[in-house]
């Protein structure tokens, strides 16, 4: 299932109504920590997490605290103060535990992983200022970039860069509740990397789209009997090929031939 932002918002609101404040953020941050730890040598190493002001940044603070509890050398980079109630609570827990928070991007240092927790599915304006600089910093790192929910700057519905301003390019993305169309279309195909879907305890709901794969078409992959011929499997007529438009009929004809039509 592929969930658009409006559908995800409805699922989030329904789930939050039955849970204690911050529960979904705790689950999301913990799931992100599992993904990050799996990318570290023996589960240990140096990690830097770039946090934004919203709930995506709050997920980053939760992730940092979970990693610190595992013995990981982790620091957060706060490019803006936490601006939502849940994010402020997550930051407070991180700070109370002795977590280190930088207010500027670190210089050149060896990291085992860097995490993008700047902006999630609610991205409406193109990246700019310190956040665009942070995206550039993340993209320059030799360590793998791991994105929380969606790579910052990416339209979660359409898979394009918001405002045509390129954002974070991740090696892997951990996304929550359900998959988003933008992670599998347009620029999202390259920006998201490997996508891990974590439902974080939210029951699936209605959605408008589905992600298709070859395994969804087993009937087309059944081996043909040998004692058959081109007329056994029907005939296909393809009409097309206006001036400069011959490619589409050629592609269709090639597909028909490979499927065995007459």
């Amino acid at each position: 299932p592929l969930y658009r932002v409006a559908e995800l918002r409805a699922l989030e609101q329904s789930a939050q109504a039955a849970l204690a404040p911050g529960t979904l953020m705790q689950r999301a941050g913990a799931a992100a920590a599992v993904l990050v730890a799996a990318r570290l040598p023996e589960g240990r190493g140096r990690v830097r997490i770039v946090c934004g002001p919203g709930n995506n940044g709050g997920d980053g603070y939760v992730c940092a605290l979970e990693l610190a509890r595992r013995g990981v050398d982790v620091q957060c980079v706060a490019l803006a103060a936490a601006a939502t109630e849940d994010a402020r609570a997550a930051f407070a827990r991180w700070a109370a535990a002795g977590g280190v928070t930088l207010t500027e991007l670190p210089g050149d240092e060896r990291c085992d992983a860097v995490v993008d927790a700047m902006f999630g599915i609610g991205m409406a304006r193109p990246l700019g200022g310190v956040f665009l600089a942070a995206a550039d910093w993340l993209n320059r790192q030799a360590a793998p970039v791991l994105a929380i929910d969606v790579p910052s700057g990416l339209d979660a519905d359409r898979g394009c860069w918001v405002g045509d301003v390129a954002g974070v390019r991740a090696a892997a993305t951990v996304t929550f509740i359900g998959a988003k169309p933008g992670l599998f279309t347009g620029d999202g195909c390259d920006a998201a990397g490997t996508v891990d879907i974590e439902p974080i305890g939210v029951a699936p709901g209605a959605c408008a789209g589905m992600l298709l794969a070859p395994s969804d078409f087993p009937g087309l992959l059944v081996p043909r009997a040998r004692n058959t011929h081109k007329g056994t499997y029907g005939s296909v007529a393809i009409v097309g090929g206006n001036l400069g438009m011959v490619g589409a009929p050629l592609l269709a004809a090639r597909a028909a031939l490979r499927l065995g039509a007459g």
Side-chain angles (χ1 to χ4, degrees):
L2 296 176
Y3 293 92
R4 293 186 176 273
V5 171
E7 295 164 339
L8 289 164
R9 293 297 192 207
L11 290 172
E12 281 181 348
Q13 291 172 4
S14 177
Q16 285 173 339
L19 297 169
T23 300
L24 293 183
M25 182 174 289
Q26 289 297 315
R27 294 174 179 175
V34 171
L35 176 71
V36 175
R39 293 289 185 124
L40 300 177
E42 299 182 359
R44 303 290 179 89
R46 176 179 293 172
V47 175
R48 299 296 178 257
I49 302 177
V50 183
C51 298
N55 285 343
N56 197 250
D59 294 341
Y61 294 124
V62 175
C63 175
L65 186 55
E66 293 289 331
L67 289 172
R69 289 170 175 166
R70 295 167 179 251
V72 176
D73 171 10
V74 56
Q75 294 180 359
C76 292
V77 182
L79 301 178
T84 69
E85 186 176 348
D86 286 349
R88 285 192 292 267
F91 173 75
R93 286 190 294 271
W94 164 246
V100 176
T101 303
L102 309 175
T103 56
E104 295 181 353
L105 293 166
D108 295 332
E109 62 174 345
R110 184 195 61 79
C111 292
D112 296 291
V114 289
V115 179
D116 166 28
M118 289 191 292
F119 297 102
I121 61 173
M123 190 74 184
R125 292 180 295 180
L127 288 174
V130 294
F131 299 109
L132 182 58
D136 292 338
W137 180 84
L138 286 162
N139 292 336
R140 291 197 307 268
Q141 301 308 301
V145 180
L146 309 176
I148 294 181
D149 208 16
V150 297
S152 292
L154 188 72
D155 186 309
D157 282 346
R158 299 185 296 160
C160 60
W161 295 116
V162 177
D164 289 329
V165 177
V168 175
R169 297 184 299 273
T173 299
V174 55
T175 197
F176 308 120
I177 300 179
K180 289 79 175 171
L183 297 175
F184 302 97
T185 55
D187 295 305
C189 298
D190 295 316
T194 304
V195 178
D196 182 69
I197 303 166
E198 292 293 338
I200 61 173
V202 177
C207 64
M210 296 288 291
L211 181 67
L212 298 178
S215 59
D216 293 306
F217 304 95
L220 299 179
L221 305 176
V222 176
R224 299 292 176 87
R226 294 185 181 183
N227 187 25
T228 57
H229 54 79
K230 66 180 181 181
T232 304
Y233 302 105
S235 299
V236 174
I238 298 166
V239 181
N242 198 356
L243 227 72
M245 302 292 183
V246 72
L250 286 175
L251 289 171
R254 190 177 298 124
L257 283 171
R258 289 183 175 179
L259 288 170

